[in-house]
Each structure stands twice: as structure tokens, then as C-alpha cells.
Amino acid sequence: ATLHRWGRRAEVDTRSPFAHTVPVGDGHDIPDVAVVGTGAAASAMVRGFASAGMQVKAIAGRKKSAAESLASREGLGGCLCTADAAEAASSARLVILAVSDGAIAAVSDRIAAASGFRPGSLVVHLSGALPSSVLTSARMSGARIGSMHPLLSFPRGKPPPPLAGAVFAVEGPADSLDDLKSIVKALGAQPVEVAADSKPLYHAAAAMVSNYTVTLLSLGLSLFDSAGVPPGPGEAGLCGLLAGTVLNMKDSGSAAALTGPVARGDVATVEEHIKALKARAPGILPVYAALGLKTVELALRKGTLGAAEAEILKTMFSRHT
């Protein structure tokens, strides 16, 4: 049997427990797209698809007005705007579920129950933590499934960041992976394949670097406040320091970019830090010490920290973790 998948002839693999399509030939054309969701991630995807020359045929939101607002901001005059996710999904061959992690399965189930998924279409969610298998109802409807997570921060109330140049983690069954990678490349981004059972670990890394950096800055500002540094210059200074560190990491790698007292084995300075924290910010001391232990490991890899100083620093930090 044959189907037309994304405008190409394709064979149906009847051996699979779910009917799905296998591409004929090596080409991967880019389909029209429907986006379910109107939040920050949805806005970024709509803008990215439109900038890449892909046709955004439909946007669905909880309220039709939210979909209309997003379409208007992106200049999509002919786009179907609706509060009916199934109506939006049925209009396109690529369906992006840009909804919260907790809503992905329920939205997929609701669309499937309304026969909103086209056979052979590709249904994709954007979660960094969840596997594509949460879209089982779409798979059982004859659609292919996958996930692609943009490694970006989407702050509320701010313009969406550009997708071009970003890294996307892609995951899904074998019949979807090539097309997922092609879509990401069409957006001007870089696909990286992550196995389904590794997604929680991948997402933990992203959360540590993005979310916990904000926490560290907040703790730093708290220490600055105790030291008498005004909030405005303090925040500007720490953000500038962080930006410089990130640039150094991009240029040289994490170990080579490491500087500071631990990297150079300056035991006396670290000892002064610990005394000050113990006296004036004891609640922050365990965080400082735990990160210090990991920094010792990194400094040893860099090769700038001697074994004797490393042992002294480990003992000092271990007393306060």
C-alpha cells in the first residue's frame, strides 16, 4: 500500500503494530505546520518556521483570540486561528504540540479522539524531559511521533529568542528521526540525537546550567548586598563577569576557562572566603563548599592545581558540605 507523506510517495510498513510510513528515496522536503499552543515556546517556533519559509497553516490556543494575536504579531494573515486543537492539527502535515509537559499527553489524546491527526503526519512535542512515547494516541491514529527540544530559555513577556544557531535535542522512533533532523536544520539550528531514556539526564543538565545559574547570581547578589555593593552596579557587574566566563568557555572549553583561587591553588584566599561566609552568610556556605569540591576536580583536569593543594582544599570544603 502507498500513502503520500509530506508530498512524497511512501510505503506503509504493515509489520509495525502502528501503521506508519517509510520514505521512498533520501530526500526530505519540509511540510506545512500547525502549532498547538500560544506561549513563549510556541511563539518562538511560529517565528522560526515563518522565517525559514515554512507555511504555518494553523495556530490553536486555549482562546481563539490568543491564536489570532500570535498570528498577527508574526504577520500570518492567512493562518487558521482556532481554539480547537484538532481542527488545527488536521490542517497540516507537521503538528507541533507547544504545550506544558503535563498537558502533552492529554492534548494528544483529545486531538486523537476527534480524529485530528492525519495518517502519516508527524506529531512533535517540545519537552526536554519527556519521551515521544507520551504521544501514543497520535501514533495509534496513524501519525508518526517525535520530540525536539530547543536548548534555549523562553522568558515570559519577552520576545522569543531566535532558533537559528540553537541546538535541538531530537528523539523518536526510527521512522521520524531523519525528518526531525531535517526540520531542525531548516530552522537554521543544529540537531543532536538523544535517546528516550537519556532525556531526563539531558534535561537535568540543561536545568542546572540555565536555572541554577540564576540561583547562583541571586546568591552572589545577596553576598554583594551584605558587603555593601549597591544592587544596580552589583547585578551589572556579576552579569558582565558571567558573560565573560561564557565567552571564555566557548573559546577555550570548560577546564581551560576556569580561573580563580581554586584553579591556582590559593588556599589562603579560600580560607578567607570560608571565614567570611561562616560569619556573615552561613546559609550559603554549604553551596560554596559543594561547588568548591567540584571545582577542585575541574582544576586538577586543567592541570593548574597541585595534588597537595587539592587535598587541602578538599578537606576544607568537606567540612562544610
Side-chain angles (χ1 to χ4, degrees), residues 8 28 51 119 127 140 148 153 195-196 218 259-260 269 299 310:
R8 298 199 311 280
H28 294 278
S51 298
S127 170
M140 294 183 70
M148 57 184 203
S153 177
S218 178
T259 61
T269 295

Side-chain angles (χ1 to χ4, degrees), residues 1-5 8-12 21 24:
T2 61
L3 291 175
H4 283 81
R5 167 173 162 269
R8 298 199 311 280
R9 184 174 175 272
E11 298 294 332
V12 176
T21 59
V24 173

Side-chain angles (χ1 to χ4, degrees), residues 34 36-37 60-61 82-91 95 97 107 110-111 116-117:
V36 178
T82 178
D84 186 340
E87 181 185 21
S90 66
S91 72
V95 180
L97 301 187
V107 171
R110 190 162 64 247
I111 295 172
F117 293 126

Side-chain angles (χ1 to χ4, degrees), residues 60-300:
R62 291 181 180 176
K63 295 181 179 179
K64 182 180 179 181
S65 59
E68 290 173 336
S69 177
L70 175 53
S72 176
R73 287 198 306 271
E74 301 305 325
L76 303 176
C79 179
L80 168 67
C81 297
T82 178
D84 186 340
E87 181 185 21
S90 66
S91 72
R93 295 169 291 169
L94 170 62
V95 180
I96 303 294
L97 301 187
V99 298
S100 64
D101 285 18
I104 291 170
V107 171
S108 176
D109 291 350
R110 190 162 64 247
I111 295 172
S115 301
F117 293 126
R118 292 185 185 182
S121 63
L122 179 57
V123 181
V124 179
H125 72 67
L126 304 180
S127 170
L130 297 177
S132 58
S133 58
V134 298
L135 300 172
T136 296
S137 55
R139 186 74 157 164
M140 294 183 70
S141 298
R144 294 174 300 131
I145 59 174
S147 69
M148 57 184 203
H149 175 254
L151 200 55
L152 293 168
S153 177
F154 297 102
R156 292 182 181 275
K158 298 290 183 68
L163 301 182
V167 170
F168 277 69
V170 298
E171 172 273 326
D175 65 341
S176 302
L177 276 174
D178 284 348
D179 283 328
L180 289 169
K181 292 173 184 177
S182 294
I183 292 163
V184 171
K185 290 176 182 177
L187 293 169
Q190 178 182 351
V192 175
E193 190 174 338
V194 177
D197 60 1
S198 293
K199 288 196 71 176
L201 191 62
Y202 154 85
H203 197 251
M208 282 179 60
V209 171
S210 179
N211 309 151
Y212 293 3
T213 297
V214 177
T215 304
L216 283 174
L217 281 171
S218 178
L219 293 176
L221 286 171
S222 175
L223 295 178
F224 266 16
D225 183 60
S226 297
V229 180
E235 185 168 353
L238 287 179
C239 286
L241 179 65
L242 178 61
T245 301
V246 170
L247 286 175
N248 289 339
M249 288 185 64
K250 288 181 69 175
D251 291 340
S252 307
S254 57
L258 183 65
T259 61
V262 173
R264 60 178 179 264
D266 188 347
V267 174
T269 295
V270 172
E271 189 172 23
E272 289 301 312
H273 290 176
I274 291 173
K275 287 179 181 177
L277 289 165
K278 192 172 183 179
R280 301 177 65 178
I284 296 177
L285 179 54
V287 179
Y288 175 89
L291 291 172
L293 283 170
K294 291 299 180 182
T295 305
V296 168
E297 296 176 8
L298 191 58
L300 285 169

